[in-house]
Structure formats: structure tokens, C-alpha cells
Amino acid sequence: MTRQRLRWSVWALIALVGVFVLGLMSVHFALPGSTVALWWPAAGLAVCFLLATDPGPRRSALFVLGVLVSSGAANLVGGRPALVSVLYGFANAAEVAVVHGLMTTRARRPRLGSMDDLWRLLAATLAGAVVIGVLAGLTASVVLGGDFLDSASAAASSHGAAVLVMAPLGIAAGLRRVRRPRLEDIAQWVVVVGVTAWVFHQDQSLPLAFLPIPGLVWGALRLGLRTVAMQLLVVGIVAVTLTSLGGGPFAAAGRLGGIRPETVGSLTQAFLATAAVTTLSLAVATTQRRTALADLRSEVELSGVVLDTAASAIIVVDLAGVIARLNTTAARLLGAPEEELVGRLAAEVFPVANPEEVTARMAGIAGGTVPLHQEQDWLVEGLGVRHIVWTNAYLTDDDGNRTHLVKTGADVTDERAARTFVEAVLEAATATAIIGTDLDGVITLFNRGAETVLGWRASEVVGVRDWSLLHDPAEVDRRAAELEIEPGFDVLVHRVRGGAATETRDWTYVRKDGSRRTVSLTMSGIRDEGGMLTGYLGVAEDVTRRRQAEIALQVALDRERQAVEELTALDRTKSDFVSAVSHELRTPLASVLGYSEMLEDGAAGPLTERQLELVSRVDRNGRRLLSLIEDLLLNSRIEAGRLELEPRRCDLSDVVASAWTSVATVTSQRDLVRDVDVSPRPLWVEGDPAALERMVTNLLSNAVKFTPDGGRVSLVARPHDRDPGTVCLTVSDSGMGIPPADHERVFARFFRSSAANERAIQGSGLGLSIVRAIAEGHGGSVSLESAPDAGSTFTVTLPVGLPTTLSRQAP
Ligand code: ADP
């Protein structure tokens, strides 16, 4: 058993003892000669306890059983026969069960908050009274031989009055105490108790039974149900006790008018019942009124707060067009405090251009002809012209007549301006398709650009069609497969829905006429102020031409690469061919040169002057041919990246001398001043003597070739002036010179100046490119100083030591 249950059981036991004691007292105070008691407060106590504790069906049943036992015991101890006692005990228990049962049908808590509750209490009391009346009447008439009706009515009234007087106390036990001025409490209590005691006291025989009522009414109106319930009990106890002692108007009537004791009892109960019904109904009504007033007050306060915190302007206008009420927002728009505006004509205070129109509108309130929606421009001080959208509604009286117009206005100036701006931006984008959709892909926005790109009109697609109409279904399917999701609108917005800010990719749009356009579509989410996704915005640019151009460019590039590859292969074949041919030419040419040398030397007998001259021409041209072949072979090797130098320690002076000798056959034919200035000391370098000789030969033969007769050719080879780790080789001439624009080009392969071509100066255009390749192959360099008709000076610098890279890779 829980603590709470234990406590209830203890209180239940105390209550049952109380039932016993009260029962005993009632039996004791029963009027002499009466078969039933004058008052039976025990019944009231039992009901009061059950209503106050409301313990649920099982414990209620137990308690009712207890009532049976204790009531029976009280009767028995009070001197009634055993059978009667048992039957009375049963009747008592039945009454309590009926009253409590009716007060708590359908598990409702016993209440006394409304007239309905009071009716229920009266009905339950009446039912209980009928039950006890019938049972007690039967017992009295059958067992005790009394009159059924007398006993029944006496029992019913004594019990009913007791229940009616005491049950409210049980119900009120759970109520909060309402704080009242203490003085009034005491005064009222004194009046009620004093008057009741005076009316019912022993020497009082005047019929003043009505006198306690005003005091009780005072309590009912001012002090609440709880006090009323307690005072009813007190009045009941005082009235019954004093009456049974022979005091008060009812006992006096019994004495003087010879009325039977049962009737005296009934009169007393009637008095108590009247007092109870009167005061209880008043108390309930007062409480109800007080609650209703409080509700109303809070409702009024709430609606006032709602009105004043509303962002909309609210103005109530009566039939005469006079402002009856308005909220803070409206007052702010009208530029004056509420008190100043209420009572004035709307047409006077509304800051509109034509107040006559307002007057006309207001005149239509009674007839109900004011439009329910209306837009107005108000010139608000400090804010300028505000565009206000009004919603109008009528207030009607109980007869359904219109009494007021409630105008609710929203200032939409800023929204309109923003919307106009956005609309203008959207419309201005005539080449960009901007399409908005809701979360399901239904089109909500379709700008001019979208109309252009897609060929649909906005009116044909907005709200009617969904996005799928615009896309190539096959492409959507492919993308769905890539994303591993179901084909549908989600394919388009998958990334954005997943949290990405935007997603840009190419899509194929299908125009209304069925043709296709490639667009670059940037998808983004539209979110409300709370960050919730409300739709999607797609911005698409028609990139069909650009993509076609890109493809064309790619094709062209591929072709060019192929052509380059083919040309490179061809060039390689050519180089291989030239190199092969050169090789093949070298052997027979060597033999030609060998035989011509033998002829010159007289190996076939002495030659005449003329023969010698012819043979030496064969030799000269043969050597030129050989030099060309050497150049071609070297060039092939350079091109193939296989210069293949064979460096060793050699004296540059020797190399220079041997080169000088090899060109001597040519130079000797010419009228040139030749200067050779080679350092007397050996000029040691790490190098390939054959290649170096080729280099010097090329430079010297150029100088001779490009210098007319009478000119000068000089060759200088010596250590570098400032850098001891370097040797310098300079070949200069006083010839035709080279224009500055050609200074770099002369080192390119196959470059020949136009001057060289025009003057039919022989050459292949390979010489200088070989010179540079050999110089750089030795870790050195070649430079040129020259001007037209001012001669040319080629300077080769070579490192003394071994260069880091000897085998130069051709470009
Ligand atoms: P080639 O001498 O066989 O024409 P090179 O590569 O040796 O080819 O020279 C390229 C060009 O440089 C020549 O055609 C000529 O125009 C110019 N050139 C070379 N050396 C001289 C020079 N010493 N004087 C003037 N022009 C020169």
C-alpha cells in the first residue's frame, strides 16, 4: 500500500467513526415519538468525504460498505432493534452510493463551477433522498409499524438536506481559497452565525426563519463557494441542534400549532434546503460571472496587444465614416496618436489625394457596398508615398445589421519596388534563359530569355508544364545512371538538394519545335529566410555555337597534329636519304680527288701547263663538293641529335693552321690580303680536332666568299684577354657585311641572304649552323659583329678545359 493510500484509509476510518458518532447523535436527538431522526448529517459527512477525496470506484465501494457498518452500528447503539439498524445501515449506504455515483458518472471529477454542476448536485441529492426515503419508509412501516409516507418523507428530507448542506463542502475542499479583506470575512461570519443562533435560540418563537438568508447571500456574492459551503454546514448544525432543543420558529410552531414532530423536522430540512439552493446558486453564478469577466478582460487585453503588435494597419470605422478604433501601425501611418484620431472622420484624416472618394466609400458601409479589396496611395509624412493594400470586413450586430467596417491594410511599397526591380532584371536577360521551379519541378518562372531559347511562351508553361518538357529524356536517363538515382527532376537538382550551392553543366534543351540546343545550365536552390529550400532556379546560356566551334577547333587541331607527324616522318626520311646519299658520294669523290692529285703530282707522266690547270680545277671543284657533302653529313647528325664529338687534348693553333691550308687552294685564286695571327704558344683545348677544323674552315670560306677582290681576310687565335680559361678565335673580313636584322638568322639552317643569292655566291646555307653546333658542342659560343658593307667579324670562344657536355643535342 502506498503512503497516499494509507493516508486515505486513515482518513476514511476517521470519517466512518464520524458517521458513527453523528448517526448516534442523530438517533439520540430524534424528536420524541419519531421513527426517524430529525437530521442525518452522517449521510452528508459520508458523501462529503467521498467527494473531497474522489478515490476511484474500488475504494469508494469499500467506503460505502464502511458506511453500511457504521450507520447500522450507530442505530444499534442508539437503541434501535437490530434488524432495523441493519436495514437503516443498508439504506444509508445505498444513498451514499447513489449520490456519489451520480456526481462522478463517466469518471468526471465532482465540480461546482456552473449551473449545470449545481443541477447535477441537486439531482444527485434528490435521487439519494428518494432512495433513503423509500428504504427507510419501508423499514419503518414494515418492521416498526409506522406510517410509510411520514417516515419516508422525514428520512428523505433529513438526509437530503444533510447531503445538500455538506456535499458542497466536499467539492469546495479542492478549491483555492480566494483572498478577501479579513474584516468583511469576520463581519459576515458573525452576522450569519449570530443571526441564525438568535433566530433559533430557545426563547425565540417569532417566525424569523428567513433572517439568516441575507447573511448567507452576502457570503455567496462576496466570499466564494468555500465559505458558503462551510456556513451552510454551520447554519445547518445550529438550526437543527437548536430546533431539536425546542428553540426557533419550527419548534415553536410544533408547540403552539400541534404539528407533528416529523413535520417540524421536515420544515427545518426545507429551511436548510432552501438556504442551500439559494446560496449555492448565487455563489455558483457569482463565481461564473467572475471567471467570465476575467476571461473577457484577458481577451480584451489580448486582442489589444494583438492589434498593436500587428504589422498591418487596422482601422475600425463606423457607419458615419468616423474612426472608432485603430492600432499603433495605423496611427503611425496617419501621423498622430490614437486618442487624436478616434472620433474623427476617416475622409478627413486619410492622407489620400481625393478624400471625396473615401467619403463615398464610407457611405456604403451600411449597404455593404464597400469593396473587400482595395489599393490606395497614402502620402505619409517622412515616408513619402506608400502603397497600401486594404482588406475590408464588416462588423454586424445581433440582428445582422452592419455596424462597422474593419479595414486591414498592408504597406506593400517596398515589396512592389523590389518585385518590379527583379522583374526588370529577369526580363532584361533576353539571351539567358532563367527558369524557376517549385520543389517538384513545376515551372514557376519563365523569363524572356527562356522564351527565346526554348520557343515556348511563359503563359504556356508556367504552372502548367514541368521541367521535363524542356530536357532531352535520353540525356536525363544517362545522367540518372551516372548518379545512380531514378530518372526524374531530381537528376537536375541532385547536387543542390544535397547541399551544393550551385551546379553547372551542359544539358540539351528541346525547343518547342523539337530542335535541340546545348545550354550551360547553372542550377541553384531558392531558400526562404529560415534557410528552407522552397524551389530551384536554373540559369541557362545557349552555348550550341560555342560548343560546335570548340568541336571544330578540336578536329582542326587533331588534323594539324597528324600533318605535323606526317611531315616529321617525311623530314626524317629525307634526312636519312641525304645522309645515305652523302655517304655514297664521299667514296667516289675521294677517289676522284686522289687521282687528280696523282695526275698533278705527275704519276701518269708530266702534264702540260694546260693539263695541269684543268686537273687543278677538277681538284678545286672536287674539294668544294666534298666540303658540301661533309656539311650535309654533319647537318644530318646534328638534326638527329648525334653530333658525336670525339674530344681530346689538342692545340687549337694546329687546327687553325690546317684549316687555313685547306682553304688556301680557294684563297690563292683570289686577290685578297690575308692576315693570320695565331698565338705562338700552343692553345690547348679539349676538343674534337676534325670538328673544330670544320668550324674554322666554314668561317674562313665564308669570309673569302663574301669579300670582293681587294679586300682583307684575317684570322686571329689567342687566349682570351680577360678570361684565362677561354681561348678566342676571330675570323673577320672587310666584305659585304650582314644587316643587323639577319644577325641571328644567319645561324639558322639553310638560311642564305638574298644578297648571297642575287650575286650567285655559292653555298648551301648550312655553314654557320654547323659552326654554332660545334662551338656549343664544345661548351663555347659564337658571336657576330657586322654591318652592311663594313665587313663581318665572327668570334668563337672555347673553354680551355673539358666542357661539361660534349655531345650537344641538336634542337
Ligand atoms: P652559305 O655560306 O653556304 O650561304 P652559311 O650558313 O655559311 O651558308 O652562311 C649563311 C649566310 O650568312 C650566307 O648566305 C651569307 O649571306 C651570310 N654570311 C656568312 N658569312 C658571311 C660573311 N663573312 N660576310 C657576309 N655574309 C656572310
Side-chain angles (χ1 to χ4, degrees), residues 202-254:
Q202 218 129 26
D203 306 329
Q204 187 62 271
S205 54
L206 289 174
L208 293 174
F210 55 86
L211 261 193
I213 303 289
L216 287 170
V217 167
W218 173 8
L221 290 178
R222 307 268 307 158
L223 304 180
L225 192 66
R226 205 184 162 90
T227 311
V228 164
M230 289 201 292
Q231 288 181 354
L232 276 177
L233 179 61
V234 171
V235 168
I237 290 169
V238 171
V240 168
T241 315
L242 293 181
T243 301
S244 67
L245 293 174
F250 306 120

Short mmCIF file of all heavy atoms in Angstrom, two decimals, residues 202-254:
data_model
loop_
_atom_site.label_atom_id
_atom_site.label_comp_id
_atom_site.label_asym_id
_atom_site.label_seq_id
_atom_site.Cartn_x
_atom_site.Cartn_y
_atom_site.Cartn_z
N GLN A 202 -33.60 29.39 22.11
CA GLN A 202 -34.68 28.73 22.83
C GLN A 202 -35.91 29.63 23.10
O GLN A 202 -37.05 29.20 23.02
CB GLN A 202 -34.16 28.21 24.17
CG GLN A 202 -34.75 26.89 24.54
CD GLN A 202 -33.69 25.87 24.91
OE1 GLN A 202 -32.60 26.24 25.35
NE2 GLN A 202 -33.99 24.60 24.75
N ASP A 203 -35.62 30.91 23.38
CA ASP A 203 -36.73 31.79 23.75
C ASP A 203 -37.36 32.45 22.52
O ASP A 203 -38.25 33.28 22.63
CB ASP A 203 -36.27 32.90 24.71
CG ASP A 203 -35.57 32.27 25.92
OD1 ASP A 203 -35.96 31.14 26.26
OD2 ASP A 203 -34.60 32.88 26.42
N GLN A 204 -36.82 32.11 21.42
CA GLN A 204 -37.31 32.77 20.19
C GLN A 204 -38.47 31.98 19.61
O GLN A 204 -38.32 30.83 19.22
CB GLN A 204 -36.16 32.84 19.18
CG GLN A 204 -36.46 33.64 17.95
CD GLN A 204 -36.76 35.10 18.25
OE1 GLN A 204 -37.92 35.47 18.50
NE2 GLN A 204 -35.72 35.93 18.30
N SER A 205 -39.63 32.60 19.52
CA SER A 205 -40.75 31.87 18.92
C SER A 205 -41.28 32.61 17.70
O SER A 205 -42.21 32.18 17.04
CB SER A 205 -41.87 31.67 19.96
OG SER A 205 -42.22 32.93 20.51
N LEU A 206 -40.66 33.79 17.40
CA LEU A 206 -41.11 34.54 16.22
C LEU A 206 -40.73 33.79 14.93
O LEU A 206 -39.67 33.17 14.86
CB LEU A 206 -40.46 35.92 16.20
CG LEU A 206 -40.96 36.90 17.27
CD1 LEU A 206 -40.13 38.17 17.23
CD2 LEU A 206 -42.44 37.22 17.04
N PRO A 207 -41.57 33.81 13.91
CA PRO A 207 -41.26 33.10 12.64
C PRO A 207 -40.23 33.89 11.81
O PRO A 207 -40.57 34.55 10.82
CB PRO A 207 -42.62 33.04 11.94
CG PRO A 207 -43.41 34.18 12.49
CD PRO A 207 -42.92 34.46 13.86
N LEU A 208 -38.99 33.83 12.28
CA LEU A 208 -37.93 34.64 11.63
C LEU A 208 -36.96 33.76 10.82
O LEU A 208 -35.80 34.13 10.59
CB LEU A 208 -37.13 35.39 12.70
CG LEU A 208 -37.92 36.48 13.46
CD1 LEU A 208 -37.07 37.05 14.58
CD2 LEU A 208 -38.33 37.59 12.50
N ALA A 209 -37.45 32.59 10.36
CA ALA A 209 -36.54 31.64 9.69
C ALA A 209 -35.87 32.25 8.45
O ALA A 209 -34.79 31.81 8.02
CB ALA A 209 -37.32 30.40 9.30
N PHE A 210 -36.50 33.28 7.85
CA PHE A 210 -35.91 33.89 6.63
C PHE A 210 -34.67 34.73 6.94
O PHE A 210 -33.89 35.03 6.06
CB PHE A 210 -36.95 34.78 5.94
CG PHE A 210 -37.53 35.83 6.86
CD1 PHE A 210 -36.88 37.05 7.02
CD2 PHE A 210 -38.69 35.58 7.61
CE1 PHE A 210 -37.41 38.00 7.90
CE2 PHE A 210 -39.21 36.53 8.47
CZ PHE A 210 -38.56 37.76 8.63
N LEU A 211 -34.51 35.12 8.24
CA LEU A 211 -33.48 36.11 8.55
C LEU A 211 -32.03 35.68 8.24
O LEU A 211 -31.22 36.53 7.82
CB LEU A 211 -33.59 36.52 10.02
CG LEU A 211 -34.32 37.84 10.28
CD1 LEU A 211 -34.09 38.29 11.71
CD2 LEU A 211 -33.84 38.94 9.33
N PRO A 212 -31.65 34.41 8.43
CA PRO A 212 -30.24 34.07 8.11
C PRO A 212 -29.93 34.17 6.60
O PRO A 212 -28.77 34.27 6.20
CB PRO A 212 -30.10 32.63 8.56
CG PRO A 212 -31.22 32.40 9.52
CD PRO A 212 -32.35 33.27 9.07
N ILE A 213 -30.99 34.15 5.78
CA ILE A 213 -30.74 34.09 4.32
C ILE A 213 -29.91 35.29 3.81
O ILE A 213 -28.91 35.09 3.09
CB ILE A 213 -32.09 33.99 3.55
CG1 ILE A 213 -32.88 32.74 4.02
CG2 ILE A 213 -31.86 33.96 2.03
CD1 ILE A 213 -32.29 31.43 3.58
N PRO A 214 -30.26 36.55 4.16
CA PRO A 214 -29.45 37.67 3.64
C PRO A 214 -27.96 37.53 3.95
O PRO A 214 -27.11 37.82 3.11
CB PRO A 214 -30.04 38.89 4.33
CG PRO A 214 -31.42 38.50 4.68
CD PRO A 214 -31.38 37.03 4.98
N GLY A 215 -27.67 37.08 5.18
CA GLY A 215 -26.25 36.92 5.55
C GLY A 215 -25.57 35.89 4.63
O GLY A 215 -24.46 36.10 4.14
N LEU A 216 -26.29 34.77 4.41
CA LEU A 216 -25.71 33.75 3.52
C LEU A 216 -25.54 34.30 2.10
O LEU A 216 -24.54 34.03 1.41
CB LEU A 216 -26.62 32.52 3.49
CG LEU A 216 -26.59 31.65 4.76
CD1 LEU A 216 -27.70 30.60 4.72
CD2 LEU A 216 -25.24 30.96 4.88
N VAL A 217 -26.53 35.09 1.65
CA VAL A 217 -26.45 35.67 0.30
C VAL A 217 -25.24 36.60 0.20
O VAL A 217 -24.49 36.59 -0.78
CB VAL A 217 -27.75 36.44 -0.02
CG1 VAL A 217 -27.57 37.31 -1.27
CG2 VAL A 217 -28.90 35.46 -0.22
N TRP A 218 -25.05 37.37 1.29
CA TRP A 218 -23.85 38.23 1.34
C TRP A 218 -22.60 37.38 1.09
O TRP A 218 -21.76 37.69 0.25
CB TRP A 218 -23.83 38.93 2.70
CG TRP A 218 -22.59 39.75 3.01
CD1 TRP A 218 -21.56 40.04 2.16
CD2 TRP A 218 -22.25 40.36 4.25
NE1 TRP A 218 -20.62 40.79 2.77
CE2 TRP A 218 -21.01 41.02 4.08
CE3 TRP A 218 -22.90 40.43 5.52
CZ2 TRP A 218 -20.38 41.72 5.12
CZ3 TRP A 218 -22.24 41.14 6.54
CH2 TRP A 218 -21.02 41.78 6.35
N GLY A 219 -22.49 36.27 1.82
CA GLY A 219 -21.32 35.40 1.65
C GLY A 219 -21.22 34.87 0.23
O GLY A 219 -20.15 34.83 -0.37
N ALA A 220 -22.40 34.47 -0.30
CA ALA A 220 -22.39 33.89 -1.65
C ALA A 220 -21.90 34.90 -2.68
O ALA A 220 -21.15 34.56 -3.60
CB ALA A 220 -23.79 33.41 -2.01
N LEU A 221 -22.33 36.15 -2.51
CA LEU A 221 -21.96 37.16 -3.50
C LEU A 221 -20.51 37.61 -3.36
O LEU A 221 -19.86 37.95 -4.34
CB LEU A 221 -22.88 38.39 -3.38
CG LEU A 221 -24.33 38.18 -3.83
CD1 LEU A 221 -25.13 39.44 -3.60
CD2 LEU A 221 -24.37 37.80 -5.30
N ARG A 222 -20.01 37.62 -2.13
CA ARG A 222 -18.70 38.25 -1.91
C ARG A 222 -17.59 37.28 -1.55
O ARG A 222 -16.43 37.56 -1.82
CB ARG A 222 -18.80 39.29 -0.79
CG ARG A 222 -19.87 40.32 -0.97
CD ARG A 222 -19.36 41.55 -1.67
NE ARG A 222 -18.18 42.07 -1.01
CZ ARG A 222 -17.29 42.85 -1.62
NH1 ARG A 222 -17.44 43.15 -2.89
NH2 ARG A 222 -16.24 43.32 -0.96
N LEU A 223 -17.93 36.14 -0.92
CA LEU A 223 -16.84 35.38 -0.30
C LEU A 223 -16.57 34.02 -0.95
O LEU A 223 -15.70 33.29 -0.49
CB LEU A 223 -17.11 35.20 1.19
CG LEU A 223 -17.32 36.52 1.93
CD1 LEU A 223 -17.58 36.25 3.40
CD2 LEU A 223 -16.12 37.44 1.80
N GLY A 224 -17.32 33.64 -1.92
CA GLY A 224 -16.96 32.44 -2.65
C GLY A 224 -17.57 31.17 -2.09
O GLY A 224 -18.12 31.12 -0.98
N LEU A 225 -17.44 30.12 -2.89
CA LEU A 225 -18.12 28.86 -2.64
C LEU A 225 -17.68 28.18 -1.35
O LEU A 225 -18.49 27.61 -0.61
CB LEU A 225 -17.85 27.94 -3.84
CG LEU A 225 -18.72 26.70 -3.88
CD1 LEU A 225 -20.16 27.09 -4.11
CD2 LEU A 225 -18.24 25.78 -5.00
N ARG A 226 -16.41 28.28 -1.08
CA ARG A 226 -15.86 27.58 0.07
C ARG A 226 -16.52 28.09 1.36
O ARG A 226 -16.98 27.28 2.19
CB ARG A 226 -14.36 27.87 0.09
CG ARG A 226 -13.53 26.86 0.78
CD ARG A 226 -12.10 27.40 0.75
NE ARG A 226 -11.32 26.72 1.74
CZ ARG A 226 -10.64 25.61 1.48
NH1 ARG A 226 -10.65 25.11 0.27
NH2 ARG A 226 -9.95 25.03 2.43
N THR A 227 -16.54 29.40 1.50
CA THR A 227 -17.14 30.00 2.69
C THR A 227 -18.63 29.64 2.77
O THR A 227 -19.13 29.26 3.84
CB THR A 227 -16.98 31.53 2.62
OG1 THR A 227 -15.63 31.81 2.29
CG2 THR A 227 -17.35 32.18 3.93
N VAL A 228 -19.27 29.74 1.61
CA VAL A 228 -20.70 29.42 1.57
C VAL A 228 -20.93 27.99 2.05
O VAL A 228 -21.81 27.72 2.88
CB VAL A 228 -21.24 29.62 0.14
CG1 VAL A 228 -22.59 28.94 -0.01
CG2 VAL A 228 -21.35 31.09 -0.16
N ALA A 229 -20.14 27.07 1.57
CA ALA A 229 -20.30 25.67 1.92
C ALA A 229 -20.12 25.48 3.44
O ALA A 229 -20.91 24.77 4.09
CB ALA A 229 -19.28 24.83 1.16
N MET A 230 -19.11 26.15 3.98
CA MET A 230 -18.87 25.99 5.41
C MET A 230 -20.02 26.60 6.21
O MET A 230 -20.48 26.04 7.21
CB MET A 230 -17.55 26.67 5.78
CG MET A 230 -16.36 25.88 5.25
SD MET A 230 -14.83 26.21 6.09
CE MET A 230 -14.49 27.87 5.63
N GLN A 231 -20.47 27.78 5.75
CA GLN A 231 -21.52 28.45 6.51
C GLN A 231 -22.84 27.67 6.46
O GLN A 231 -23.60 27.63 7.43
CB GLN A 231 -21.70 29.87 5.99
CG GLN A 231 -20.52 30.73 6.39
CD GLN A 231 -20.63 32.16 5.93
OE1 GLN A 231 -21.56 32.51 5.20
NE2 GLN A 231 -19.68 32.98 6.37
N LEU A 232 -23.08 27.04 5.31
CA LEU A 232 -24.30 26.22 5.21
C LEU A 232 -24.28 25.13 6.28
O LEU A 232 -25.27 24.86 6.95
CB LEU A 232 -24.41 25.59 3.83
CG LEU A 232 -25.02 26.46 2.74
CD1 LEU A 232 -25.00 25.73 1.41
CD2 LEU A 232 -26.46 26.84 3.11
N LEU A 233 -23.12 24.51 6.44
CA LEU A 233 -22.97 23.44 7.43
C LEU A 233 -23.22 24.00 8.84
O LEU A 233 -23.96 23.42 9.64
CB LEU A 233 -21.57 22.83 7.32
CG LEU A 233 -21.27 21.71 8.31
CD1 LEU A 233 -22.23 20.55 8.10
CD2 LEU A 233 -19.84 21.24 8.18
N VAL A 234 -22.56 25.16 9.08
CA VAL A 234 -22.68 25.75 10.42
C VAL A 234 -24.15 26.10 10.70
O VAL A 234 -24.70 25.76 11.75
CB VAL A 234 -21.78 26.98 10.55
CG1 VAL A 234 -22.07 27.73 11.84
CG2 VAL A 234 -20.32 26.58 10.47
N VAL A 235 -24.77 26.76 9.71
CA VAL A 235 -26.18 27.14 9.88
C VAL A 235 -27.03 25.89 10.13
O VAL A 235 -27.90 25.85 11.01
CB VAL A 235 -26.68 27.93 8.65
CG1 VAL A 235 -28.21 28.07 8.68
CG2 VAL A 235 -26.03 29.30 8.63
N GLY A 236 -26.74 24.82 9.34
CA GLY A 236 -27.48 23.57 9.48
C GLY A 236 -27.35 23.02 10.89
O GLY A 236 -28.35 22.68 11.55
N ILE A 237 -26.09 22.96 11.37
CA ILE A 237 -25.86 22.39 12.70
C ILE A 237 -26.60 23.22 13.76
O ILE A 237 -27.32 22.69 14.61
CB ILE A 237 -24.35 22.35 13.01
CG1 ILE A 237 -23.68 21.28 12.10
CG2 ILE A 237 -24.10 22.01 14.47
CD1 ILE A 237 -22.17 21.34 12.12
N VAL A 238 -26.40 24.58 13.64
CA VAL A 238 -27.02 25.46 14.65
C VAL A 238 -28.55 25.29 14.61
O VAL A 238 -29.21 25.07 15.64
CB VAL A 238 -26.62 26.92 14.39
CG1 VAL A 238 -27.43 27.88 15.29
CG2 VAL A 238 -25.13 27.12 14.62
N ALA A 239 -29.12 25.38 13.38
CA ALA A 239 -30.57 25.33 13.26
C ALA A 239 -31.14 24.01 13.77
O ALA A 239 -32.08 23.99 14.57
CB ALA A 239 -30.96 25.54 11.79
N VAL A 240 -30.50 22.92 13.36
CA VAL A 240 -31.02 21.60 13.74
C VAL A 240 -30.89 21.38 15.24
O VAL A 240 -31.83 20.95 15.93
CB VAL A 240 -30.29 20.50 12.96
CG1 VAL A 240 -30.62 19.13 13.55
CG2 VAL A 240 -30.69 20.54 11.50
N THR A 241 -29.68 21.72 15.75
CA THR A 241 -29.44 21.48 17.19
C THR A 241 -30.44 22.28 18.02
O THR A 241 -31.11 21.74 18.92
CB THR A 241 -28.00 21.90 17.54
OG1 THR A 241 -27.12 21.38 16.54
CG2 THR A 241 -27.61 21.37 18.91
N LEU A 242 -30.54 23.60 17.68
CA LEU A 242 -31.40 24.45 18.49
C LEU A 242 -32.86 24.04 18.32
O LEU A 242 -33.63 24.03 19.29
CB LEU A 242 -31.19 25.92 18.13
CG LEU A 242 -29.80 26.48 18.49
CD1 LEU A 242 -29.69 27.95 18.13
CD2 LEU A 242 -29.51 26.30 19.99
N THR A 243 -33.26 23.66 17.09
CA THR A 243 -34.65 23.24 16.89
C THR A 243 -34.95 22.00 17.71
O THR A 243 -35.99 21.90 18.37
CB THR A 243 -34.89 22.98 15.40
OG1 THR A 243 -34.62 24.16 14.66
CG2 THR A 243 -36.36 22.56 15.14
N SER A 244 -34.01 21.04 17.67
CA SER A 244 -34.25 19.80 18.41
C SER A 244 -34.29 20.06 19.92
O SER A 244 -34.88 19.30 20.68
CB SER A 244 -33.20 18.75 18.06
OG SER A 244 -31.98 19.18 18.56
N LEU A 245 -33.66 21.20 20.32
CA LEU A 245 -33.73 21.55 21.74
C LEU A 245 -34.99 22.37 22.03
O LEU A 245 -35.18 22.90 23.11
CB LEU A 245 -32.49 22.36 22.15
CG LEU A 245 -31.16 21.58 22.12
CD1 LEU A 245 -29.99 22.50 22.40
CD2 LEU A 245 -31.22 20.44 23.14
N GLY A 246 -35.81 22.58 20.98
CA GLY A 246 -37.09 23.27 21.19
C GLY A 246 -37.04 24.74 20.90
O GLY A 246 -37.99 25.49 21.17
N GLY A 247 -35.94 25.21 20.35
CA GLY A 247 -35.82 26.64 20.05
C GLY A 247 -36.27 26.93 18.63
O GLY A 247 -36.44 26.02 17.80
N GLY A 248 -36.43 28.21 18.31
CA GLY A 248 -36.66 28.64 16.94
C GLY A 248 -38.09 28.48 16.47
O GLY A 248 -38.93 27.91 17.15
N PRO A 249 -38.36 29.02 15.27
CA PRO A 249 -39.73 29.12 14.77
C PRO A 249 -40.40 27.76 14.54
O PRO A 249 -41.59 27.62 14.81
CB PRO A 249 -39.57 29.87 13.46
CG PRO A 249 -38.14 29.75 13.08
CD PRO A 249 -37.38 29.60 14.35
N PHE A 250 -39.62 26.76 14.05
CA PHE A 250 -40.26 25.48 13.71
C PHE A 250 -40.69 24.73 14.97
O PHE A 250 -41.80 24.20 15.04
CB PHE A 250 -39.33 24.64 12.85
CG PHE A 250 -38.87 25.40 11.64
CD1 PHE A 250 -37.52 25.64 11.41
CD2 PHE A 250 -39.81 25.92 10.74
CE1 PHE A 250 -37.10 26.33 10.32
CE2 PHE A 250 -39.38 26.63 9.64
CZ PHE A 250 -38.01 26.84 9.43
N ALA A 251 -39.84 24.70 15.96
CA ALA A 251 -40.19 24.03 17.23
C ALA A 251 -41.37 24.76 17.86
O ALA A 251 -42.30 24.12 18.39
CB ALA A 251 -38.98 24.04 18.17
N ALA A 252 -41.34 26.11 17.77
CA ALA A 252 -42.44 26.89 18.35
C ALA A 252 -43.74 26.55 17.65
O ALA A 252 -44.79 26.37 18.31
CB ALA A 252 -42.14 28.39 18.20
N ALA A 253 -43.68 26.42 16.32
CA ALA A 253 -44.87 26.07 15.56
C ALA A 253 -45.38 24.72 16.01
O ALA A 253 -46.60 24.49 16.14
CB ALA A 253 -44.55 26.05 14.06
N GLY A 254 -44.44 23.77 16.31
CA GLY A 254 -44.80 22.44 16.78
C GLY A 254 -45.53 22.54 18.11
O GLY A 254 -46.57 21.90 18.33
#
